[in-house]
Amino acid sequence: MAARSDLPAGRPAAKRVFFHVGAPKTGTTYLQNVLFQNRDALAANGVLYPYEDRGEPFRSMLDFRGVGWGGKRAGQYTGEWEAVARRARAWPGDVIISNELLGGSAPERIEAGLASVAPAEVHVVFTARDLARQLVSDWQEHIKHKHTVTLEAFVDDLIELGLDAPEPFGQLFWGMHDAAYVLEPWSRFVPVDRIHIVTVSHPGSPSDTLWNRFCAVTGLDPDAYDAEVRRANASMGVAETELVRRMNFEVQGMGSDVYDPLVRQLLAEEILGGRSAKLTLPTGRMDWVSQRSRQLIDAVARAGYQIEGDVEELMPRASDHVPHVSPTTQTDADLGDAAIRAATGLLRHSGRQRRRNLELQQQLLDAGAPAGAMTRARSKVVGWYWSLRHQAALRVKRR
């Protein structure tokens, strides 16, 4: 770990707990993957990343906030946060807690959550990126969660209606990405000199910039850990995102237990990629976004939060958003390449699943399973396979 040079000589370092609370689409998944794969090395250096599996940050966040998600009721994950907090309390050194949706917590939940890790010197970390890129990225993320709103309608509503934009877009954008809005409730319980905004650099900066800045805030030595991880949440281009949006009209009845692994993870993040033109802010909206960004920069300056990076990086660069290609105006022909890749990728996936099903059937045979059990198992496997194939038959809605 880096030396705690901010403390007077001879004074023992207080135990610190860092809450990395957002924002989504600011490299949070990358940072979390680096922290998770370096858990042992971090612990050896006195720092705890208190999660035992990759799903625990999300589950404990829902419990911390006291909310449901994806149709699941609030309270389903009761006890998940306390398990994380208990490890944090028991650890003698620094602790890093991270989930990009923690920023949306209500004040009373923040107060209770911070109290659960006492005694500790609490710090809040918020990674922030310019609003133009955030608007476009957030729209794509909603498309990957089965929504069908167009990019133009999404941006127009957020600009014109703010937090009152149609659910869930208003609260999930301004309530998660506006640093001043998100951090104000946390500042009621954490001194502003312990609230840190880490800016995400503009395209073209060194790839390790975000990791170095995060380490500067948390006191980690960036060179002491393996920061090479597979980038998650891969961005799709115009054609790929529009293809998934139009597919979503056809799969509204698909359960999240099927949609998430098949569409959001496999199709959007692994098969399609971003071969087409990159997504950019709709034409005519840059002036408003620039003015709103300046207001945001002024607000965080007035609040006195600590800035790691350059606060001017929160100003969008118009050059990053030209030329603009509207996803909504894409023709079926424009989507053809992406559609072929989608169909081919899903077919290959279906083939792999079928081979695996046959292997499992053979294992049952080799194990000498009773005939009745074998018949029942085969029936379940075959039924599951055909159900998966049916769900995988995503069709592009003819426009």
Side-chain angles (χ1 to χ4, degrees), residues 37 44 166 176 183 207 226 230 251 295 298 321 332 334 343 367:
Q37 78 174 13
M176 294 288 185
L183 293 174
S207 59
D226 178 10
R230 180 174 177 267
V251 296
Q295 294 171 1
D298 292 343
H321 295 269
D332 288 348
D334 294 328

Side-chain angles (χ1 to χ4, degrees), residues 67 86 91 105 123 180 194 231 247 255 257 343 367 387 394 397:
V67 297
R86 183 168 57 249
W91 188 258
S105 304
H123 290 249
R194 296 181 192 168
R231 290 282 177 170
M247 284 180 169
D257 58 330
S387 174
L394 304 175
K397 183 177 179 67

Side-chain angles (χ1 to χ4, degrees), residues 3 12-13 18 36 105 118 150 170 198 203 226 247 264 270 290 323 349 386:
F18 293 90
F36 191 87
S105 304
T150 66
V198 177
D226 178 10
M247 284 180 169
R264 182 171 63 84
E270 295 185 26
S290 296
H349 176 73
W386 283 107

